[in-house]
Amino acid sequence: MFGLLTVGALTGCSSDDNVADVDVPAPIAFGATEVPRGTRASTAYYSTSETGIPLSQPMGVFGYQYPATADWAASDTANFMYNRRMVSNGKNAYGHTEFYYSPLSFWPQADTYRLAFFAYYPYASASSDTGIVPTVAPGTGMGTFAFTTKDNSSEQVDFMMSDLKPNLTYVSSTTTASGDTVSFRMHHMLSQVVFHVDTASVPLGYTSFSVKSIIMRNVAKRGTLKPTYTADKVTTFEWTVDAATANDSLTVDGIQKNSTEDVPCRLLLLPQDNHDISLRVEVEAIPVGSQRPIVGYATMLMSGTTAAGSWKQGLTYYYTLRLKELTKENKLYIYITSGAPDDPDQDDDYTGGTAIQWGGTWNGGPIDAAKKAIF
């Protein structure tokens, strides 16, 4: 269920070229392949095993050059490439997403220098709107990356970063599959949280029922990522996440208005404990015998439900929002359980569920007074 993105490169000279003639300038090119994981962001930044990194979408690459007799050090400076923008050109015959960039960079002559690289996606600059801010200052190795989660689910990005590839030369790097010269392995830096809204059955007393919005409150939205290449030759990724405030909220937008289908609602969030997060689910329904929709909402705290826990980096968490009719109380409950609607572990435990309050506010603003539900 949880795969990793593997990034390779498309060599400027194929592996059939004369490798011994290393003094001939050889361009360094990059590409990408992906193992499925199922992470979804907005359409523009959505990478899948079928499409790879989307056409025309860029990643950023940092490169380091140092003497051929030295190893990469955590105090090195990105003096060969600094946040070089590389744009997806689609997949090639090997299943690699090709990238192009200009001006090209070339491998140094033999026995002069070594190179090291790492990459992240999507590319960020002062004019971009990804929520990513790289800070790779001189002498800080891989640096740090500040990140802010977008307020709407449709704008959220699939933030990924590669392992560092140190101590590379043209000769040592032309032996990889498909003639690649540099091969990255990318990891998902965020947690994916997937909500399914189970409204396949219209509740008693209504001719239609749909979820209009889901608002998540008291959710951590800002953090700083520190990648580190360790003495064990492993790249680690450590988040420092700012505590959430009462004003920190996210909205799942673009929910389909169709009560006969499950509605998947996906978010890409910073790794965090979810106990203090609350969900406000806003609904619209038409009672039997009426033509006028009524609106309502239900708010629940994650800590009071069976879905409470921690969201870890690189993992996907599935939840289902369900309806529970309590006709004796004349109430319609919304509750949350772990798992997708077809998960065999789904049950009717509505612990922590909340009755829909008809009338009130809509996304914090006034809405029409609602008619009482008919049972």
Side-chain angles (χ1 to χ4, degrees):
M1 179 169 60
F2 314 121
L4 297 173
L5 181 76
T6 305
V7 175
L10 308 166
T11 177
C13 300
S14 75
S15 56
D16 294 330
D17 291 339
N18 184 3
V19 174
D21 191 10
V22 294
D23 289 340
V24 176
I28 309 170
F30 299 86
T33 61
E34 183 178 352
V35 177
R37 175 185 176 275
T39 293
R40 171 150 191 251
S42 61
T43 302
Y45 297 113
Y46 185 9
S47 69
T48 70
S49 58
E50 290 78 19
T51 64
I53 290 176
L55 183 67
S56 301
Q57 292 300 321
M59 70 177 180
V61 175
F62 289 86
Y64 307 77
Q65 177 175 280
Y66 42 93
T69 55
D71 290 330
W72 188 87
S75 59
D76 279 350
T77 297
N79 56 356
F80 188 77
M81 287 183 177
Y82 189 89
N83 201 23
R84 182 67 63 85
R85 186 176 185 268
M86 302 187 181
V87 180
S88 170
N89 200 30
K91 281 192 171 186
N92 66 7
Y94 297 105
H96 293 210
T97 302
E98 296 180 333
F99 283 81
Y100 63 90
Y101 65 102
S102 180
L104 288 175
S105 294
F106 296 83
W107 288 99
Q109 291 184 343
D111 302 322
T112 57
Y113 295 101
R114 284 172 153 182
L115 302 180
F117 298 97
F118 80 97
Y120 74 98
Y121 172 84
Y123 173 80
S125 68
S127 60
S128 66
D129 192 28
T130 62
I132 303 170
V133 180
T135 303
V136 186
T140 63
M142 298 178 75
T144 60
F145 289 71
F147 181 77
T148 302
T149 307
K150 292 296 181 180
D151 291 341
N152 297 316
S153 60
S154 62
E155 301 170 352
Q156 292 172 356
V157 300
D158 190 358
F159 182 20
M160 295 182 281
M161 189 172 292
S162 78
D163 296 318
L164 179 77
K165 300 295 294 185
N167 306 333
L168 301 179
T169 66
Y170 177 61
V171 173
S172 68
S173 300
T174 53
T175 58
T176 57
S178 305
D180 293 349
T181 55
V182 178
S183 183
F184 292 131
R185 189 183 186 189
M186 302 289 282
H187 305 272
H188 297 274
M189 296 292 103
L190 303 175
S191 305
Q192 180 183 216
V193 177
V194 181
F195 291 106
H196 291 268
V197 183
D198 188 1
T199 57
S201 299
V202 177
L204 183 67
Y206 301 92
T207 58
S208 71
F209 188 95
S210 62
V211 172
K212 296 293 291 184
S213 70
I214 301 173
I215 301 172
M216 183 178 290
R217 290 175 173 162
N218 204 36
V219 56
K221 297 171 60 177
R222 291 166 292 278
T224 301
L225 178 70
K226 182 174 177 55
T228 302
Y229 187 70
T230 70
D232 296 328
K233 299 181 180 181
V234 174
T235 306
T236 62
F237 307 96
E238 181 180 359
W239 277 107
T240 300
V241 178
D242 297 348
T245 70
N247 294 324
D248 287 328
S249 65
L250 301 171
T251 299
V252 179
D253 55 0
I255 298 177
Q256 301 173 31
K257 185 179 180 181
N258 189 340
S259 63
T260 63
E261 296 181 0
D262 296 334
V263 184
C265 313
R266 299 175 174 91
L267 301 102
L268 291 165
L269 306 176
L270 287 166
Q272 59 192 284
D273 186 291
N274 68 22
H275 282 74
D276 294 331
I277 292 175
S278 65
L279 299 177
R280 178 186 171 98
V281 183
E282 299 181 332
V283 301
E284 180 179 275
I286 298 179
V288 171
S290 173
Q291 299 295 321
R292 180 175 178 270
I294 62 173
V295 293
Y297 68 93
T299 301
M300 67 194 80
L301 192 64
M302 290 288 285
S303 62
T305 72
T306 59
S310 294
W311 295 326
K312 305 295 185 182
Q313 174 205 323
L315 298 181
T316 300
Y317 298 86
Y318 292 91
Y319 304 102
T320 298
L321 291 169
R322 292 182 176 276
L323 299 173
K324 182 72 172 181
E325 297 179 66
L326 301 179
T327 54
K328 290 184 179 180
E329 299 179 24
N330 195 27
K331 290 181 179 179
L332 183 62
Y333 272 71
I334 290 181
Y335 67 101
I336 184 172
T337 63
S338 297
D342 56 355
D343 192 318
D345 294 330
Q346 285 285 320
D347 56 37
D348 291 327
D349 183 359
Y350 59 96
T351 301
T354 304
I356 295 175
Q357 304 296 314
W358 297 106
T361 61
W362 185 271
N363 281 346
I367 57 176
D368 293 337
K371 298 178 181 178
K372 188 175 181 180
I374 299 174
F375 288 91

